[in-house]
Amino acid sequence: MSAECSSYLNADKVLVSGFSCPRAGGDARAVFCCGFQDVKYCCDDPHSFFPYEHSYMWWLSVGALVGLSIAAVVLFAFIITVCVLCYLFISTKPRSKLDTGLSLQMAGKTC
């Protein structure tokens, strides 16, 4: 069993010619072509193949940043809402004490 790795441009934009796996002088078990579009190598695990460039990781990071930004905005809106509701609750409380209807008189004085 063998695999063919097609030619590719590496990170320095230099053309690397195609090769077959396993390579001469390499591991005889490395019969699969693995790696990225800009780095290819022979390996022994058929599930190590990534047909994407390294830039796909950037998009994962952008997605994570967008998700975290949305979560931060929702949290900020929740905190602002709680603060506004607390302010309204405190500001609408009655400030005067209830009148019991009893008048206070000093002891010992008659009117």
Side-chain angles (χ1 to χ4, degrees):
M1 180 188 231
S2 67
E4 293 290 325
C5 286
S6 60
S7 59
Y8 62 94
L9 289 175
N10 65 12
D12 298 325
K13 305 295 183 204
V14 175
L15 180 66
V16 177
S17 59
F19 54 90
S20 60
C21 297
R23 290 184 123 174
D27 187 3
R29 296 174 296 165
V31 293
F32 299 102
C33 182
C34 300
F36 297 94
Q37 288 182 352
D38 57 349
V39 174
K40 294 183 182 180
Y41 56 93
C42 297
C43 67
D44 60 352
D45 183 10
H47 303 292
S48 294
F49 178 71
F50 297 102
Y52 308 107
E53 294 181 14
H54 292 292
S55 63
Y56 83 95
M57 296 177 105
W58 168 252
W59 289 110
L60 291 177
S61 298
V62 169
L65 287 175
V66 168
L68 288 173
S69 298
I70 290 171
V73 168
V74 168
L75 179 64
F76 184 69
F78 176 76
I79 290 171
I80 293 296
T81 303
V82 168
C83 290
V84 167
L85 290 175
C86 286
Y87 173 76
L88 290 174
F89 177 76
I90 291 171
S91 67
T92 57
K93 261 181 138 177
R95 297 194 188 276
S96 62
K97 294 183 179 181
L98 293 175
D99 185 16
T100 61
L102 299 174
S103 59
L104 298 177
Q105 295 179 359
M106 292 184 68
K109 287 191 177 183
T110 57
C111 292

